[in-house]
Amino acid sequence: MSKKWIAFAVLALFVMTVGLAGCGGSQQAQPAAAKVLKVGAEATFPPFEFQDEKSKDYVGFDVDLMKALGKQMGMEVQVVNTAFDGLIPALESGQIDAIASAMTITEERSKKVNFSKPYYKSGLSIVVKGDNSAVKSFKDLEGKRIAVQIGTTGAEEAKKIKDAKVREFNSASEAYLELKAGGADAVVNDLPVNEYYLAKGGSKDAKLVGEVLNSEEYGVAVTKKNTELAGKINKAMDEIKQNGEYAKIYEKWFGKKPQ
């Protein structure tokens, strides 16, 4: 074989080797998958978090909010349905990374977790049967049967009412069913949740009474040690409020612009 052909063969082999190496390099350059942010929520609390009857997906204001925050942070949000009174223990044990479940920022909870900047203002309200004329305020709940959701500020407030017989349920929907069945005189819960229940058919046999009690603020909770995530959430919260995404989500679920 001539030297010319040998040189040609070597050159061809070199070109093929470089080409194959280039293909391998392009496969390795695939973008890394987004980090998953596991968010705990008690998904029976519309309009904040609940399961869509048709798609079975978790939906609601908190779900959309966290997806928007996740997008800003470059993270994929995964909702983990957890009983409300089990949310903080799940966070502390590392089963979830954050809590977004219409959780009121309180002094007691702040001893265990770090809260983000407030993202929603709320307050407690009363729902009674439509023909109930005896209960018109929180004062009128003295000695009455009150249905609440376990672990909520509504439950805490109801227990302060003199001689009240408080029954705690795992979900808000169970508390409303207890009222409808006549097992309770009233339901004490967050105002937007009570309003949503009435708007979705509850007003057929129930009504909202009295003034809103307490001014409450909701926050996203993370562990005390995860200061980096807390900072990222606050930064992302500022960004979605500035770019208008927060207002879009708020109006979608509450039919009005944020206050």
Side-chain angles (χ1 to χ4, degrees):
M1 185 180 289
S2 69
K3 292 182 178 180
K4 183 184 292 186
W5 280 107
I6 292 173
F8 178 81
V10 171
L11 178 61
L13 182 62
F14 175 77
V15 170
M16 288 177 64
T17 303
V18 171
L20 288 171
C23 290
S26 64
Q27 290 176 345
Q28 293 173 359
Q30 293 294 327
K35 184 179 178 181
V36 174
L37 181 70
K38 293 183 179 180
V39 178
E42 195 279 298
T44 61
F45 205 65
F48 291 94
E49 44 271 329
F50 60 103
Q51 194 169 29
D52 184 86
E53 292 182 1
K54 293 182 180 179
S55 68
K56 303 303 179 183
D57 292 333
Y58 295 121
V59 296
F61 176 75
D62 283 345
V63 177
D64 284 354
L65 175 72
M66 288 310 300
K67 285 181 178 179
L69 293 176
K71 184 178 179 180
Q72 289 297 124
M73 295 186 290
M75 304 178 80
E76 180 185 341
V77 171
Q78 178 185 332
V79 177
V80 181
N81 189 14
T82 308
F84 194 83
D85 59 341
L87 285 169
I88 291 180
L91 183 67
E92 292 175 327
S93 65
Q95 296 175 50
I96 54 177
D97 304 307
I99 299 171
S101 192
M103 183 171 279
T104 302
I105 300 170
T106 67
E107 184 177 348
E108 189 63 30
R109 288 172 181 159
S110 295
K111 293 176 183 177
K112 299 179 179 179
V113 302
N114 277 338
F115 280 103
S116 69
K117 296 177 179 179
Y119 66 84
Y120 187 88
K121 287 187 177 182
S122 182
L124 297 175
S125 61
I126 306 166
V127 168
V128 298
K129 278 194 167 185
D131 59 359
N132 186 329
S133 58
V135 176
K136 298 177 182 178
S137 67
F138 276 87
K139 177 69 176 174
D140 296 330
L141 290 176
E142 291 184 3
K144 298 293 192 297
R145 300 167 301 166
I146 307 172
V148 297
Q149 183 177 354
I150 190 169
T152 62
T153 50
E156 293 173 12
E157 196 62 39
K159 291 173 185 177
K160 298 176 185 177
I161 298 172
K162 184 179 178 181
D163 298 327
K165 300 173 182 64
V166 181
R167 291 200 61 189
E168 296 179 282
F169 296 88
N170 289 325
S171 67
S173 56
E174 289 175 333
Y176 295 128
L177 285 173
E178 185 71 4
L179 175 68
K180 190 172 183 178
D185 300 305
V187 170
V188 173
N189 211 332
D190 292 1
L191 176 63
V193 179
N194 280 340
E195 288 180 330
Y196 189 83
Y197 167 70
L198 296 174
K200 292 299 180 180
S203 59
K204 293 177 182 177
D205 48 24
K207 63 183 179 181
L208 200 66
V209 296
E211 296 182 358
V212 177
L213 182 69
N214 298 341
S215 177
E216 301 183 348
E217 293 181 315
Y218 298 163
V220 179
V222 298
T223 60
K224 287 285 189 181
K225 60 185 179 182
N226 201 344
T227 53
E228 181 182 358
L229 179 58
K232 287 182 177 179
I233 289 174
N234 278 333
K235 181 174 181 292
M237 190 82 72
D238 288 339
E239 289 169 349
I240 65 169
K241 286 186 176 182
Q242 290 170 4
N243 66 23
E245 188 62 25
Y246 175 85
K248 288 180 184 177
I249 296 170
Y250 193 101
E251 196 161 0
K252 171 185 175 181
W253 288 104
F254 303 113
K256 56 184 178 182
K257 294 181 179 180
Q259 301 174 349

